[in-house]
C-alpha cells in the first residue's frame, strides 16, 4: 500500500479560538518582561499604544487567557484558504535516503501566498470595527504587504505600504500585487516621512531594512488621526493569530498517527514559527513532551538568535516604536540585502527570544547558497518552489533528516513551509547562475549598532 502523503481537515476544523502560550511560559517559571515606552523607558500602558493600534489588539497583546475567540467575520475570510494542508514529503525522504519522516504544513496556498493573511485579516477586522480608515504598514519581501493590502480591501480600509527598497527593486510584481488590491506602495526609506528623509540625507543609496520601514509606517500612523499601524510579526497579537497553523497541524499529525520529535521553522520576527510551534511547545513546557525539540532557522547575514544579544531594544531604527526585550543585533543594524527579505530584521519576538534564552528552542543560521540548494532539492522532489524565507526551514529539516540517517535513528520532523516563491524568480535566477554572493555577517557593524541600545537591564 502506498504511504499517505496528504492530511486534509474539513471546513469545520478551522480553529474557533487562537492559542496563547503566555500562561504556559509563566507557569513554567519564565518571567516575560514588559515592553517599555521609547519616550519614558517605563512599562508601556494602553494609552501609549492607542495612537497605533485598536483596543481589541492591545487587549490581546497583554492577555493572560489561554484561548481567545476568533470573530465570525474573520473565520469567514479564513475559509478562503483554511484549513491548510499538511503533507508528508516522502519523495524528499527518499532523495535523502533517510529513516526520518518529514512532514510540512503548507501556508503558501493562501491568496497572498504565505502565512501573513492569518493575522492581516483579524488586524484589518479590528481596525475597521474601531472606526479607522487607513492602515500604514511596512513590508520586507512583500508577503506581508500583499496580505495587508488584501485584508484592507476585504474590510474597506485604505492601505499605505512602506516597502524595503531592496525588495521594492528586486520584486516589482509584489508591488503590482499590492496595488491591485488598492494599496499605495512606497520604496523605503522614502521622502514621505521625517525618519525616511533623515536616513536618505545620511545614506542616499540606502537599500532599506525592516527597521527603517517600520519607523516610517509608525510615524505615518502616529501623525494621522484616522490611520493605525499594523505589524506583520514580532508582537504578541501577531503570534497569537498565527496559532491557527499549529492548532491545525496538531490535528493533522494525529491523523497521521505521529508526534513530531523536532519542529522546525524560519524566523524573521518569529510569527510563522511561533504559529506552528507554540501549540506543540505547550506540551514541552507542561512536561508532557519534554523531549520534543524546536529549531529556529535564520540567515547567516542577519543572525539575530545565533549571534545577537538578549537585551531591551527598539523595534525600529528611528527609535519611535516600543522597546522590547529580545535577541537583537541592534536597531541600527542594516543586514545585507539577501533575498530572504522577510528575515532581514534586527530583532525577534520577545516570547520566542525568551524560549531560546531558556533553552527550550535551538537556533541555526544558514548562508544564501545553502538555503537555495535546499530549496532546489525540495522543488525537485516535492514540486513546490518555496519562498527564500521558508527555504531556511527546509534546510533545517534536511539537516535533521541527514542527522537521523547518520545516527541510524528514526525521527519525525515537522516544518513550516510558510510561503511559495513564485515572486522570487530573480533570487532563483541568481542562485542558478552562480550570482549569489556569500554575504558574511559583519560583527563590527553589529558592534556599532549595539552601542545604541537603550540602557535598560533585562535582569
Ligand atoms: C514568506 C515569509 N516567511 C517568513 C517571514 C518572516 O516573518 P515571521 O518570522 O514573522 O514569520 C516573512 C516575513 O515577511 C515572509 O514573508
Amino acid at each position: 500500500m502506498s504511504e499517505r502523503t496528504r492530511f486534509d481537515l474539513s471546513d469545520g476544523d478551522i480553529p474557533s479560538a487562537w492559542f496563547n502560550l503566555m500562561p504556559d511560559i509563566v507557569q513554567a517559571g519564565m518571567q516575560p518582561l514588559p515592553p517599555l515606552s521609547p519616550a519614558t523607558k517605563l512599562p508601556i500602558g494602553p494609552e501609549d499604544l492607542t495612537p497605533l493600534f485598536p483596543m481589541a489588539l492591545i487587549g490581546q497583546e497583554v492577555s493572560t487567557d489561554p484561548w481567545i475567540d476568533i470573530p465570525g467575520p474573520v473565520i469567514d475570510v479564513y475559509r478562503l484558504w483554511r484549513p491548510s494542508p499538511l503533507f508528508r514529503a516522502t519523495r524528499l525522504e527518499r532523495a535523502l535516503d533517510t529513516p526520518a519522516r518529514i512532514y510540512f504544513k503548507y501556508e503558501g496556498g493562501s491568496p497572498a501566498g504565505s502565512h501573513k493573511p492569518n493575522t492581516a485579516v483579524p488586524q484589518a477586522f479590528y481596525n475597521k470595527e474601531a472606526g479607522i480608515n487607513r492602515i500604514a504598514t511596512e513590508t520586507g519581501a512583500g508577503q506581508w504587504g500583499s496580505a495587508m493590502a488584501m485584508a484592507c480591501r476585504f474590510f474597506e480600509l485604505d492601505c499605505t505600504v512602506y516597502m524595503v527598497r531592496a525588495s521594492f527593486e528586486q520584486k516589482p510584481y509584489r508591488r503590482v500585487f499590492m496595488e491591485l488590491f488598492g494599496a499605495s506602495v512606497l520604496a523605503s526609506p522614502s521622502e514621505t516621512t521625517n525618519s525616511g528623509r533623515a536616513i536618505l540625507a545620511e545614506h542616499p543609496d540606502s537599500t532599506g531594512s525592516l527597521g527603517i520601514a517600520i519607523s516610517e509606517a509608525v510615524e505615518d500612523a502616529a501623525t494621522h488621526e484616522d490611520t493605525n499601524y499594523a505589524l506583520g510579526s514580532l508582537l504578541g497579537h501577531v503570534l497569537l493569530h498565527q496559532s491557527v497553523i499549529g492548532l491545525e497541524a496538531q490535528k493533522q499529525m494525529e491523523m497521521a498517527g505521529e508526534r513530531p520529535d523536532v519542529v522546525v521553522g524560519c524566523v524573521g520576527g518569529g510569527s510563522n514559527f511561533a504559529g506552528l510551534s507554540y501549540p506543540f511547545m505547550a506540551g514541552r513546557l507542561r512536561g508532557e513532551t519534554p523531549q520534543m525539540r524546536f529549531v529556529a532557522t535564520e540567515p547567516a547575514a542577519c543572525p539575530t538568535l545565533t549571534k545577537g544579544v538578549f537585551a531591551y531594544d527598539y523595534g525600529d531604527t528611528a527609535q519611535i516604536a516600543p522597546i522590547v526585550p529580545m535577541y537583537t543585533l541592534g536597531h541600527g543594524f542594516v543586514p545585507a540585502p539577501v533575498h530572504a527579505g522577510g528575515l532581514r530584521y534586527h530583532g525577534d519576538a520577545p516570547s520566542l527570544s525568551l524560549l531560546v534564552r531558556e533553552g527550550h528552542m535551538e537556533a541555526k543560521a544558514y548562508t544564501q547558497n545553502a538555503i537555495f540548494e535546499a530549496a532546489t532539492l525540495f522543488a525537485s522532489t516535492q514540486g513546490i518552489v518555496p519562498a527564500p524565507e521558508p527555504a531556511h526551514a527546509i534546510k533545517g529539516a534536511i539537516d535533521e533528516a541527514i542527522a537521523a540517517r547518520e545516527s541510524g535513528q528514526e525521527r519525525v520532523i515537522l516544518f513550516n513551509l510558510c510561503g511559495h516563491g513564485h515572486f522570487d524568480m530573480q533570487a532563483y535566477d541568481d542562485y542558478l547562475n552562480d550570482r549569489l554572493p556569500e554575504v558574511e555577517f559583519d560583527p563590527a557593524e553589529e558592534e556599532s549598532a549595539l552601542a545604541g541600545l537603550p540602557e535598560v537591564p533585562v535582569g
Side-chain angles (χ1 to χ4, degrees), residues 5 7-9 13-15 81-89 102-109 114-115 118 242-253 255 263-265 272 275-277 280 378 384 390 393-394 413-420:
T5 56
F7 303 88
D8 281 315
L9 297 170
D13 292 313
I14 297 176
W81 70 94
R82 305 214 71 82
S84 69
L86 179 107
F87 293 98
R88 180 169 165 200
I102 307 174
Y103 293 85
F104 66 96
K105 180 77 168 155
Y106 185 45
E107 291 292 309
S114 78
H115 63 294
N118 296 333
Q242 294 295 354
S243 65
V244 289
I245 304 173
L247 294 170
E248 289 176 6
Q250 277 186 317
K251 283 191 184 169
Q252 289 160 310
M253 289 303 283
M255 283 168 81
V263 184
V264 185
N272 87 82
L276 175 68
S277 66
F280 292 97
F378 186 79
I384 300 174
I394 293 173
I413 301 164
L414 169 65
F415 76 90
N416 200 15
L417 181 44
C418 62
H420 69 65

Side-chain angles (χ1 to χ4, degrees), residues 5 19 40 61 112 147 163 193 197 206 258 276 279 344 426 444 449:
T5 56
F19 174 68
T40 62
E61 199 55 35
M163 184 173 191
T193 63
R197 282 189 295 270
S206 171
E258 299 267 39
L276 175 68
R344 288 179 73 229
Q426 183 63 56

Side-chain angles (χ1 to χ4, degrees), residues 127 132-137 148 152 157-160 227-228 230:
N127 275 293
I132 287 297
N133 292 326
R134 183 170 69 100
I135 293 293
T137 193
M148 203 62 228
C152 283
L157 293 161
D158 292 337
C159 183
T160 305
T227 302
N228 263 352

Side-chain angles (χ1 to χ4, degrees), residues 114-116 143 232-233 266-272 342-343 387 389-390 418:
S114 78
H115 63 294
K116 297 288 182 181
Q143 295 268 22
S233 187
C266 69
V267 173
S271 75
N272 87 82
L343 308 188
E389 292 85 0
C418 62

Side-chain angles (χ1 to χ4, degrees), residues 29-274:
M30 286 173 271
Q31 284 169 347
L33 295 164
L36 308 178
S37 150
T40 62
K41 308 222 174 24
L42 294 172
I44 228 160
E47 64 289 354
D48 296 302
L49 295 173
T50 46
L52 300 180
F53 301 110
M55 267 324 277
L57 292 177
I58 295 171
Q60 292 179 3
E61 199 55 35
V62 293
S63 175
T64 52
D65 296 335
W67 296 98
I68 293 171
D69 284 345
I70 306 179
V74 171
I75 296 186
D76 276 350
V77 181
Y78 276 175
R79 276 204 188 95
L80 295 175
W81 70 94
R82 305 214 71 82
S84 69
L86 179 107
F87 293 98
R88 180 169 165 200
T90 47
R91 293 171 58 89
L92 177 64
E93 291 168 15
R94 282 198 288 278
L96 294 170
D97 190 22
T98 175
R101 296 189 291 287
I102 307 174
Y103 293 85
F104 66 96
K105 180 77 168 155
Y106 185 45
E107 291 292 309
S110 83
S114 78
H115 63 294
K116 297 288 182 181
N118 296 333
T119 181
V121 169
Q123 291 197 45
F125 167 79
Y126 290 121
N127 275 293
K128 185 67 184 181
E129 270 211 319
I132 287 297
N133 292 326
R134 183 170 69 100
I135 293 293
T137 193
E138 74 291 327
T139 196
Q143 295 268 22
W144 167 243
S146 300
M148 203 62 228
M150 180 192 79
C152 283
R153 179 52 107 206
F154 286 169
F155 290 98
E156 296 173 344
L157 293 161
D158 292 337
C159 183
T160 305
V161 183
Y162 293 86
M163 184 173 191
V164 174
R165 186 172 296 274
S167 297
F168 188 89
E169 281 160 11
Q170 279 163 358
K171 299 184 170 189
Y173 295 130
R174 270 286 169 203
R175 171 179 56 75
V176 178
F177 188 102
M178 292 182 259
E179 289 172 347
L180 180 140
F181 284 102
S184 312
V185 187
L186 302 165
S188 167
S190 76
E191 292 285 354
T192 315
T193 63
N194 287 331
S195 31
R197 282 189 295 270
I199 303 267
L200 286 174
E202 227 183 296
H203 306 285
D205 297 329
S206 171
T207 52
S209 71
L210 275 171
I212 295 169
I214 292 172
S215 296
E216 294 207 87
V218 168
E219 183 185 324
D220 183 337
T223 51
H224 293 92
E225 192 68 24
D226 70 336
T227 302
N228 263 352
Y229 170 63
L231 187 58
S233 187
L234 196 79
L235 294 177
H237 65 266
V238 181
L239 274 53
L240 177 80
H241 301 156
Q242 294 295 354
S243 65
V244 289
I245 304 173
L247 294 170
E248 289 176 6
Q250 277 186 317
K251 283 191 184 169
Q252 289 160 310
M253 289 303 283
E254 272 169 35
M255 283 168 81
E258 299 267 39
R259 194 162 70 189
D261 294 309
V262 56
V263 184
V264 185
C266 69
V267 173
S271 75
N272 87 82
F273 191 39

